[in-house]
Amino acid sequence: MLTELGGVMESRTNSDYLEFLGDRLDKFSSTFEEFMTHHVENTGFGGIAVGMAPAVLPKDGADKARVRALTDQLNHLAGALMDLSNVTQVRMTAPGAGVLDPFVNWQRMLEPKPLLDAGVVRSCCLQAAGRLEGLQAKAAALSSPNIEPSLLHPLVWAAAQRLWNDGHLRQAVAASAEAVSGQMKQLIGRNNASDTSLWQQAFAAADPQEGKPRLRWPGDVDDQDVKTMQSGLLSFAPGVNMVIRNPATHVSADFTEQDGLEQLATLSILAKFLDRCVVVSVDGVTSAAVPPEVPAPADESNRLTTREDG
C-alpha cells in the first residue's frame, strides 16, 4: 500500500507524466465526442426504460465499422489513462458497484442497468482536465532547478561540448579538466611539474619564489574571509584535479550523464574561482587573472543531448 501511495504521489509531481495524461485525456475526450455523434443519449424525460436500458443507444443508420474503430480507440486510450482517476481523484460512486473509475469504465453506459451515462463521462473529463492543469502548475513550482551546460564556465563547456554531445562523457570531462589546468599553467607560467603539484604550489601559503608565482584570492590578506578562501582553494583545486581529472583521464570505465554533469559543474566552479584570483610574482607585481578568449559554442550543438545507455 505504501508503494502504491508513493507511486501516486510521484505521478502528481512528475511534469512529464502529467503532460502525458493531459494529452491522452484530450484525445479521449475528442474521440468520445465523435463516438457520441453515432449515438443518442437515453436519459431524462422521453428516454426508453431509463435505468434499465443502456444510457447510450446507437443511432439508426450509424456507421458500424466506424463505431467499432472509435470503440477500440477509446478502450486503448482508457488503458493509457489507467492512473488518471487516482492522480486527479476524479471517480464516481455507483449504487451496488462501489467506487468506479469513469475513464476505464466508460463502456458501462452501453450496458443494461448502466452505472454511468455520457454526461457523467463528459463531466469527469472536464474535472480531470482542470485538476491536471492545477497539478502541472504545482509540479512546475516544485520542480528542481536544472543545470544548463551551455551556461557553465565557457572554458569548461567549450572544451566538453562536442565530445559530450557525441556521447563521449568521460572524455568530455577530461577535456574540460585539461582546459582548466591549462588556464592555471598559463597564469603562473609553469608546466614543469604534475598538474596536482602545480595546483598545490600555485595556492601555497608561502611567498612566491623566482619562477614560482602564486595565485591569491583578491582582498586584504589579513581578512578572515580572504584567508578562508585561500586555504580552501589550496585544498579544493588539487582535490578536483585528483578526483575528477585523473580518473577521467586515466580510468577507462564510463559513468552516467548525471555523474558527468556534476563533474563539469565542479570544474566550472573551479574555473570561476580561478578567474577571480590574482597572480603574485617574486618582484611583488600583482596582476589580475584574466580568463582566456573562448569561442562561443556553435548554435546547433549548444545544448545537452540525452545519451542512451547501452
Side-chain angles (χ1 to χ4, degrees), residues 258-274:
Q258 182 65 27
D259 291 335
L261 188 56
E262 290 173 358
Q263 293 187 23
L264 288 179
T266 303
L267 289 166
S268 179
I269 291 171
L270 177 57
K272 290 179 180 181
F273 284 152
L274 194 59

Side-chain angles (χ1 to χ4, degrees), residues 140-156:
L142 296 175
S143 63
S144 301
N146 295 319
I147 295 176
E148 174 55 53
S150 64
L151 298 181
L152 294 173
H153 190 285
L155 188 68
V156 170

